[in-house]
Structures are given as structure tokens and as C-alpha cells.
């Protein structure tokens, strides 16, 4: 059984930084796309960033502030978040699987039948 475990969330003031980690266990291949999504209060799921086959993708609102990296030896993907803003407040979810692609976002909540999902980690940014 594949499991994704996130860590690193917390509360920071605007302008601060956090680093999220997501470690996969079970059957995950080294080249499986992995990504980060988020869901703010009352909002639908939003794609944040993807790491796939040596390439990366970022949604416009986080470009220049967030950096995704992947350590295949540890089956871990990281999201370094700098210059955080109150609008970054959300539950951040890690996902892995074939549907972790820029042109697909789950409808509603950050969950679907095509990918593996973590339990989510809360990020709160205060002004």
C-alpha cells in the first residue's frame, strides 16, 4: 500500500518561510510525478507545484517564491516556501501518480481516484 506522509506545516507571519516534506512509502517508482496542492477555507483544490521527470511546474501565484525539489533516493518531495503571504493559508496536500499534471486539478477537494494523496498539512500565514 502506498502512503504519503507530509510534514513541515505551521504558522508564520507574512514574509516568513516554511519547508514542507512529503515522503512516499510503498510502490512508488523513481519517475512517478509528485506534486503539491492546496485548499484554502471555502475554496476548491488548487495545484501549487509539480516535479516530474526532471521538470517543474508552478502556478503563477507562487512563481519566484516557492521551490519544489525531489530526492528520489528518499522518495521525498519538498516544497520550500518563501515570502509567504496570508493568501497562501491553506491545507497543503502531497500527491503522487500519473494524473499529477499541470492540466488536471481534482474538482472540489484535493482527492481523486487517479493519484495517491497525503493527509494534508496546515499552513497559516498571518499578516
Amino acid at each position: 500500500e502506498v502512503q504519503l506522509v507530509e510534514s513541515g506545516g505551521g504558522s508564520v507571519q507574512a514574509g516568513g518561510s516554511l519547508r514542507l516534506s512529503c515522503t512516499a512509502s510503498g510502490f512508488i517508482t523513481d519517475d512517478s510525478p509528485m506534486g503539491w496542492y492546496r485548499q484554502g477555507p471555502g475554496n476548491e483544490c488548487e495545484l501549487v507545484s509539480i516535479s516530474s521527470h526532471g521538470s517543474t511546474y508552478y502556478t503563477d501565484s507562487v512563481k519566484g517564491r516557492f521551490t519544489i525539489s525531489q530526492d528520489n533516493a528518499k522518495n521525498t518531495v519538498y516544497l520550500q516556501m518563501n515570502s509567504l503571504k496570508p493568501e497562501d493559508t491553506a491545507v497543503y496536500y502531497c500527491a503522487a501518480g500519473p494524473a499529477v499534471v499541470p492540466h488536471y486539478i481534482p474538482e472540489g477537494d484535493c482527492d481523486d481516484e487517479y493519484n495517491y494523496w497525503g493527509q494534508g498539512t496546515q499552513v497559516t500565514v498571518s499578516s
Side-chain angles (χ1 to χ4, degrees):
E1 180 184 0
V2 174
Q3 287 188 322
L4 302 177
V5 179
E6 301 115 331
S7 61
S11 298
V12 295
Q13 291 190 329
S17 298
L18 286 172
R19 187 193 194 205
L20 306 183
S21 300
C22 171
T23 299
S25 61
F27 183 69
I28 287 283
T29 62
D30 288 347
D31 61 355
S32 177
M34 297 186 74
W36 290 95
Y37 298 72
R38 66 186 180 187
Q39 189 166 14
N43 295 336
E44 295 194 343
C45 186
E46 177 186 13
L47 172 60
V48 177
S49 183
I50 293 173
S51 176
S52 176
H53 301 97
S55 298
T56 58
Y57 166 87
Y58 299 94
T59 194
D60 286 346
S61 63
V62 306
K63 284 181 180 177
R65 300 189 297 122
F66 291 11
T67 303
I68 192 169
S69 59
Q70 193 168 355
D71 185 337
N72 289 332
K74 297 182 179 180
N75 273 350
T76 298
V77 64
Y78 305 95
L79 186 68
Q80 178 66 43
M81 305 186 294
N82 298 329
S83 302
L84 282 161
K85 304 176 180 180
E87 51 263 44
D88 295 318
T89 294
V91 178
Y92 283 69
Y93 297 90
C94 173
V100 178
V101 293
H103 56 273
Y104 167 72
I105 300 173
E107 291 186 12
D109 295 336
C110 291
D111 192 14
D112 63 34
E113 59 190 19
Y114 309 116
N115 299 306
Y116 298 103
W117 293 86
Q119 81 286 356
T121 185
Q122 177 71 47
V123 171
T124 302
V125 185
S126 58
S127 57

